[in-house]
């Protein structure tokens, strides 16, 4: 996943920047105005790439989890994810007493993937989240949106990276967890993920 993120985004952007720098150098003497425009574009692209790399680093080790706690990390992520978007995220249930940092990091990555997908792709205006570890020694995470929905089997078959379903399934299986998708076109999507605490 890290290799894919670096290859698909950061490295491609940096490679494109090399070409833009070479192009700008050709116009330095001939067209100073165009050179300035190219340099401005390069500067903006560099800032975006830096932010992408920061996101990857944050995903590896969410610092806020160490400093503030899981709920605060979750709230901050939700606020950032729906900023400037007409989407409401409602936490219907939050019962989380687990303190194992490794489990919490996995749970956060799962939430990050599923919530990010819902915000970017579902065309929804409301998302409901539930997190509960009070039954059967499992963490049960549910996320439901009222968006456009999709054909689950078709997306998995296509291995569509924009939905990240394959990666999400692999991530859950690595911790001996269970994942269930319930979605159909025009009727939204619901995902239930069960993570065993004593795996």
């Amino acid at each position: 996943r890290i290799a894919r993120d670096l290859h698909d985004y950061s490295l491609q952007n940096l490679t494109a920047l090399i070409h833009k720098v070479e192009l700008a150098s050709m116009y330095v003497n001939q067209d100073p105005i165009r050179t300035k425009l190219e340099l401005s574009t390069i500067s903006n692209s560099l800032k975006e790439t830096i932010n992408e790399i920061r996101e990857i680093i944050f995903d590896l080790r969410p610092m806020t989890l160490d400093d503030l706690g899981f709920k605060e990390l979750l709230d901050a992520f939700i606020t950032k994810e729906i900023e400037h978007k007409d989407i409401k995220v409602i936490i219907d249930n939050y019962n989380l007493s687990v303190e194992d940092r490794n489990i919490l990091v996995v749970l956060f990555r799962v939430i990050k993937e599923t919530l990010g997908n819902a915000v970017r792709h579902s065309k929804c205006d409301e998302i409901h989240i539930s997190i509960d570890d009070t039954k059967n020694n499992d963490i049960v995470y549910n996320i439901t949106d009222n968006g456009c929905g999709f054909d689950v089997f078709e997306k998995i078959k296509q291995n569509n990276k924009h939905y990240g379903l394959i990666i999400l399934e692999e991530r859950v299986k690595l911790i001996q967890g269970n994942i269930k998708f319930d979605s159909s076109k025009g009727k939204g999507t619901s995902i239930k993920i069960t993570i065993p605490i004593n795996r």
Side-chain angles (χ1 to χ4, degrees):
R1 172 63 186 272
I2 298 166
R4 194 200 73 180
D5 283 349
L6 287 170
H7 178 268
D8 288 353
Y9 302 104
S10 303
L11 290 182
Q12 286 190 13
N13 288 344
L14 289 171
T15 301
L17 283 171
I18 291 173
H19 297 302
K20 288 181 180 180
V21 169
E22 291 172 349
L23 182 64
S25 66
M26 293 171 56
Y27 293 109
V28 169
N29 297 322
Q30 302 173 9
D31 193 341
I33 294 175
R34 181 166 182 178
T35 301
K36 288 181 180 179
L37 291 173
E38 289 292 338
L39 288 174
S40 177
T41 302
I42 290 168
S43 177
N44 290 332
S45 296
L46 275 172
K47 289 174 184 176
E48 290 176 5
T49 304
I50 288 169
N51 286 333
E52 287 170 0
I53 294 172
R54 279 180 178 157
E55 286 289 329
I56 293 170
I57 293 170
F58 177 79
D59 193 35
L60 284 172
R61 184 174 176 81
M63 299 303 178
T64 312
L65 178 57
D66 294 326
D67 299 336
L68 300 176
F70 189 86
K71 185 63 165 61
E72 289 72 16
L73 174 65
L74 178 61
D75 289 340
F77 173 68
I78 290 173
T79 300
K80 179 183 176 184
E81 195 69 14
I82 63 173
E83 188 177 15
H84 307 308
K85 298 180 179 72
D86 294 324
I87 299 175
K88 183 188 295 184
V89 176
I90 301 166
I91 299 179
D92 296 319
N93 185 24
Y94 184 88
N95 287 308
L96 189 65
S97 58
V98 173
E99 295 182 355
D100 185 323
R101 191 187 185 283
N102 292 325
I103 294 176
L104 292 176
V105 168
V106 171
L107 176 61
F108 177 71
R109 288 174 179 165
V110 164
I111 294 173
K112 189 172 185 286
E113 185 79 37
T114 54
L115 182 61
N117 285 340
V119 169
R120 287 189 293 273
H121 304 299
S122 73
K123 300 178 182 177
C124 68
D125 58 22
E126 193 167 293
I127 299 171
H128 288 261
I129 288 175
S130 171
I131 304 170
D132 195 331
D133 67 357
T134 60
K135 297 177 181 178
N136 301 323
N137 209 27
D138 292 329
I139 299 173
V140 179
Y141 164 65
N142 283 283
I143 180 168
T144 303
D145 67 64
N146 64 349
C148 58
F150 60 95
D151 187 321
V152 176
F153 296 106
E154 187 64 27
K155 288 298 177 185
I156 291 176
K157 187 171 69 174
Q158 291 173 359
N159 194 14
N160 189 319
K161 69 181 180 182
H162 297 294
Y163 281 81
L165 299 184
I166 298 293
I167 289 171
L168 184 60
E169 283 195 315
E170 289 175 352
R171 179 167 280 166
V172 173
K173 286 178 181 177
L174 281 172
I175 54 168
Q176 290 85 53
N178 193 314
I179 182 168
K180 291 182 180 179
F181 298 99
D182 184 8
S183 182
S184 58
K185 291 183 178 180
K187 294 184 179 180
T189 301
S190 179
I191 301 174
K192 179 181 179 180
I193 295 174
T194 304
I195 299 173
I197 295 171
N198 297 321
R199 62 192 186 282

